[in-house]
Amino acid sequence: MSEPTLELTGISKSYLQGTPGQVDVLRGADLALQAGEVVALVAPSGAGKSTLLHIAGLLDTPDAGEVRVAGEDVTRKGDRRRTRVRRQEVGFVYQFHHLLPEFSALENIVLPQLANGAAQKAAAARAADLLAAVGLAGRAGHRPAALSGGEQQRVAFCRALANAPRVLLADEPTGNLDPGTADQVFAALMELVRGTGMSALIATHNLELAARMDRQVKLQDGLLVPV
């Protein structure tokens, strides 16, 4: 078996709150994602899945444990290196699209590529290809306000994949959509992921969608266990 694209080993994280004091959100969680694998992360609200995703995506650091991306231990690397790995190797999708309202769908996908050093022409071509892949070629010039909720989220998927990351992290990516739109958007996401060979960790409350992924894990008492 090849080296995991993302490997979490012994991840622990605690927070101090007024009552009851220290809250142990993660207590030694382990997870390995292989290239091309799509894993569902299921857990009730407050169980720590957003904390886990933030640590996996190098937006936060664990109190203990290791985060490896493409074989590199980046747990406690400097901010510059973590930012570079995050920009090049990790894509993020959230429940709300967070598209920049003053830019078109195409431009929202071009911008992260420019930040990563891509040439304008190549970035625009890739953005157009991604939009076509999710059925939005004809909406490339529209700003987010002129797009439906499902269209906005598909643009957000394309933006997350703009720099061809090895790992996609998604936090309730269809949670803000009606069931029919959620199913269409999820199908578009799966097609994008399958077509690139990246791995994906997708947090969802939707057990029907979770069942369509390669496997499911859940957060239980601060640990990740198979469903």
Side-chain angles (χ1 to χ4, degrees):
M1 187 177 289
S2 61
E3 194 166 51
T5 56
L6 173 68
E7 189 170 15
L8 307 177
T9 306
I11 299 297
S12 296
K13 187 71 175 181
S14 300
Y15 296 100
L16 289 176
Q17 295 184 353
T19 304
Q22 180 169 302
V23 177
D24 299 322
V25 180
L26 302 172
R27 306 167 184 254
D30 298 318
L31 179 68
L33 298 184
Q34 300 296 328
E37 183 179 37
V38 181
V39 177
L41 172 62
V42 294
S45 296
K49 61 182 183 299
S50 292
T51 297
L52 182 77
L53 289 172
H54 286 169
I55 290 172
L58 309 182
L59 295 171
D60 197 0
T61 55
D63 298 331
E66 285 187 357
V67 180
R68 291 183 174 271
V69 178
E72 179 185 357
D73 182 359
V74 290
T75 317
R76 290 171 180 83
K77 290 288 178 72
D79 286 345
R80 182 174 296 181
R81 179 58 186 162
R82 286 167 60 86
T83 297
R84 180 172 296 178
V85 171
R86 185 168 59 242
R87 182 186 298 153
Q88 295 178 345
E89 307 288 1
V90 183
F92 294 92
V93 180
Y94 299 98
Q95 181 173 347
F96 299 97
H97 55 79
H98 297 302
L99 297 173
L100 297 173
E102 65 271 30
F103 294 99
S104 69
L106 186 92
E107 290 166 340
N108 266 278
I109 304 166
V110 165
L111 287 172
Q113 297 179 73
L114 299 182
N116 201 37
Q120 176 79 38
K121 186 174 181 180
R126 174 158 176 77
D129 287 345
L130 286 168
L131 286 171
V134 297
L136 293 179
R139 310 289 277 167
H142 289 68
R143 293 185 180 182
L147 303 174
S148 70
E151 289 172 337
Q152 290 170 349
Q153 196 64 318
R154 277 183 277 168
V155 174
F157 292 159
C158 293
R159 180 184 58 188
L161 302 186
N163 288 326
R166 298 188 195 219
V167 180
L168 177 70
L169 303 174
D171 194 356
E172 298 288 351
T174 61
N176 196 41
L177 305 173
D178 65 77
T181 303
D183 189 70
Q184 294 175 357
V185 168
F186 178 77
L189 174 61
M190 292 295 284
E191 187 170 344
L192 282 175
V193 171
R194 298 294 191 202
T196 61
M198 74 174 67
S199 60
L201 179 63
I202 302 175
T204 181
H205 279 110
N206 190 324
L207 299 182
E208 199 172 298
L209 294 184
R212 292 160 61 181
M213 302 186 213
D214 296 320
R215 62 185 170 102
Q216 301 174 48
V217 296
K218 66 178 178 179
L219 268 170
Q220 183 174 298
D221 298 325
L223 298 173
L224 283 170
V225 297
V227 174

